[in-house]
């Protein structure tokens, strides 16, 4: 075999590859043609492999020719592949096109599913309605608070042992532990009293719902991000009987007459005397279950008479004014109202749970 003699067969090889490539119509065709004309078993590959038998001089010349042939074939393949792809993607888009002008007679068009407010939001709204019906106004405050509003003004100075009652998320700001995610809605009491005192707008009858945060491990009755509603009354001649009566009226209005409330002595730095406010567990109706830790009662929150130290922090005259405050969990209310054994479902977004409300 001479170098010269090799040329016509390489040309032939390119010609027959060109014919096969041009005949390809679909991407399947072009894939098969690519294997046939440039794959491992193609005449081109075989020709390459046979170079080993040639003399060094011949090998160099023929090798060059074969490399040129390969790049020409690859170029042809590439061009044809692009053409086929363009045609096929245009056809796919055409097939996908929705003809919106056509109305098929007798077709029932179903509306897409509509969402609704979350159970917690609806519970908050329902609680607000109950309290507005009892003569309370609704107020709000920030979720990011200073140490003063969340603790200091509530008679919980730095290093006070009662701070342990609220495991706190602090913001990474200077000075350390000066700014935090509020652990309860009680700081809104302070903001409200400060504002009312400054503007001469006492008395106050208000509820303050909102989101709170605690470094708690979620369990059947707790979430680290949860909601509270705070209540505050500051007026002349307010007594503990007003507080107890308010809680009783609220419980009957929201949970129904068969659910009982009780107050148990407790301690909060910002109220004196203080009480914990519990209702009959609605899961077991008082018999004892896992949700209420076998006690038959569920703690909704705390309450008490506003401590004189708190009035002093906001400059309210205790000779004239007295008041009570309460704060309880909105998520806990939703749980008890709808007999939800484990509160964590409120944040899990399981559509089977959500659809029930
Ligand atoms: N802020 C208290 C808590 O979250 C509840 C409370 C509010 C207690 C108002 C007394 C008065 O634990």
């Amino acid at each position: 075999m001479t170098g010269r003699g090799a040329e016509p067969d390489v040309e032939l090889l390119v010609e027959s590859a060109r014919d096969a490539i041009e005949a390809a119509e679909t991407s399947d065709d072009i894939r098969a043609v690519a294997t046939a004309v440039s794959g491992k078993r193609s005449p081109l590959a075989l020709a390459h492999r046979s170079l080993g038998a040639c003399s060094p001089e011949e090998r160099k010349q023929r090798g060059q020719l074969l490399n040129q042939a390969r790049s020409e074939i690859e170029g042809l393949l590439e061009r044809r592949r692009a053409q086929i792809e363009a045609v096929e993607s245009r056809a796919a888009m055409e097939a996908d096109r929705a003809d919106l002008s056509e109305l098929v007679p007798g077709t029932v068009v179903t509306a897409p599913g509509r969402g609704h407010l979350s159970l917690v939001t609806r519970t908050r709204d329902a609680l607000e309605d109950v309290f507005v019906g009892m003569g309370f106004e609704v107020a709000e405050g920030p979720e990011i608070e200073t140490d003063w509003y969340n603790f200091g003004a509530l008679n919980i100075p730095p290093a006070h042992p009662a701070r342990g009652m609220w495991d706190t998320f602090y913001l990474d700001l200077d000075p350390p532990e000066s700014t935090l995610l509020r652990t309860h809605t009680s700081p809104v009491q302070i903001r409200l009293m400060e504002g009312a005192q400054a503007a001469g707008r006492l008395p106050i009858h208000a509820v303050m719902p909102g989101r709170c945060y605690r470094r708690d491990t979620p369990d059947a009755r707790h979430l680290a991000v949860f909601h509270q509603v705070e209540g505050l009354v500051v007026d002349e001649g307010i007594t503990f009987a007003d507080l107890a009566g308010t809680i009783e009226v609220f419980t009957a209005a929201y949970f129904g007459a068969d659910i009982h409330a009780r107050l148990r002595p407790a301690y909060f730095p910002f109220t004196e005397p203080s009480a914990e406010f519990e209702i009959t567990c609605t899961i077991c109706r008082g018999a004892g279950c896992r949700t209420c830790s076998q006690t038959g009662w569920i703690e909704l929150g705390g309450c008490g008479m506003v401590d004189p130290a708190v009035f002093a922090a906001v400059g309210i005259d205790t000779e004239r004014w007295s008041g009570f405050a309460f704060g309880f969990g909105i998520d806990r209310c939703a749980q008890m109202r709808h007999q939800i054994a484990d509160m964590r479902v409120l944040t899990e977004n399981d559509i089977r749970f959500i659809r029930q409300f």
Side-chain angles (χ1 to χ4, degrees):
M1 208 192 276
T2 67
R4 286 213 151 267
E7 284 175 36
D9 75 301
V10 173
E11 255 168 46
L12 214 67
L13 205 140
V14 173
E15 279 318 307
S16 75
R18 187 195 307 276
D19 290 345
I21 291 168
E22 274 167 13
E25 297 282 353
T26 67
S27 44
D28 281 344
D29 292 349
I30 194 75
R31 221 171 295 125
V33 169
T35 311
V37 302
S38 79
K40 275 198 220 122
R41 275 186 252 280
S42 61
L44 183 67
L46 295 179
H48 259 286
R49 237 169 279 151
S50 70
L51 286 178
C54 303
S55 66
E57 188 49 30
E58 236 180 356
R59 191 182 308 152
K60 190 175 163 208
Q61 220 182 24
R62 197 165 153 78
Q64 255 173 13
L65 280 173
L66 285 174
N67 281 340
Q68 275 168 14
R70 175 167 288 281
S71 66
E72 194 175 343
I73 292 173
E74 297 290 352
L76 290 168
L77 275 171
E78 203 37 64
R79 218 168 310 134
R80 187 67 189 141
R81 209 179 275 130
Q83 286 169 347
I84 291 174
E85 258 170 36
V87 171
E88 287 186 349
S89 86
R90 213 175 308 128
M93 276 197 294
E94 195 59 33
D96 256 8
R97 200 176 63 156
D99 182 358
L100 301 178
S101 65
E102 188 183 19
L103 188 67
V104 182
T107 313
V108 180
V109 181
T110 37
R114 268 180 83 176
H116 60 66
L117 294 175
S118 85
L119 180 60
V120 174
T121 305
R122 288 155 63 140
T123 305
R124 173 186 159 153
D125 290 350
L127 292 170
E128 281 181 19
D129 285 349
V130 170
F131 283 111
V132 167
M134 290 165 73
F136 287 81
E137 285 175 41
V138 179
E140 281 184 319
E143 289 174 25
I144 294 176
E145 271 295 7
T146 60
D147 181 89
W148 169 251
Y149 282 102
N150 195 81
F151 290 125
L154 289 159
N155 198 27
I156 321 170
H160 190 289
R163 287 199 176 209
M165 293 165 73
W166 299 275
D167 277 325
T168 310
F169 285 114
Y170 287 97
L171 272 74
D172 198 3
L173 293 173
D174 271 336
E177 305 206 344
S178 59
T179 319
L180 46 81
L181 295 178
R182 67 178 178 195
T183 59
H184 50 182
T185 41
S186 299
V188 194
Q189 281 187 36
I190 302 297
R191 293 182 175 274
L192 216 58
M193 287 192 278
E194 250 178 9
Q197 168 63 20
R201 273 193 283 107
L202 288 169
I204 297 169
H205 303 87
V207 288
M208 297 141 262
R211 193 176 290 135
C212 305
Y213 306 81
R214 284 188 204 172
R215 232 154 27 81
D216 275 343
T217 307
D219 65 22
R221 292 194 307 261
H222 299 87
L223 298 173
V225 180
F226 62 104
H227 302 78
Q228 279 193 337
V229 56
E230 190 84 6
L232 175 70
V233 169
V234 178
D235 207 336
E236 288 171 89
I238 297 294
T239 70
F240 200 92
D242 296 306
L243 166 60
T246 303
I247 291 204
E248 208 170 279
V249 171
F250 157 74
T251 310
Y254 185 71
F255 291 103
D258 59 329
I259 294 297
H260 300 290
R262 71 175 186 184
L263 296 179
R264 295 206 309 168
Y267 169 76
F268 296 103
F270 33 91
T271 46
E272 181 59 34
S274 304
E276 252 163 32
F277 157 32
E278 298 180 327
I279 61 163
T280 322
C281 175
T282 59
I283 313 277
C284 61
R285 300 262 143 192
C289 67
R290 200 176 59 87
T291 306
C292 62
S293 303
Q294 312 302 331
T295 62
W297 293 91
I298 290 276
E299 187 195 326
L300 279 192
C303 59
M305 303 305 291
V306 179
D307 194 289
V310 174
F311 280 142
V314 293
I316 288 182
D317 177 10
T318 50
E319 291 295 318
R320 180 169 172 203
W321 306 99
S322 58
F324 67 75
F326 57 79
F328 58 82
I330 295 178
D331 319 78
R332 203 64 82 69
C333 282
Q335 179 177 27
M336 284 297 108
R337 171 94 172 236
H338 300 284
Q339 288 142 41
I340 298 165
D342 194 318
M343 189 190 272
R344 285 170 288 194
V345 293
L346 290 175
T347 57
E348 280 166 2
N349 263 348
D350 185 331
I351 197 75
R352 293 166 301 177
F353 172 77
I354 293 169
R355 279 216 178 105
Q356 295 177 59
F357 302 98

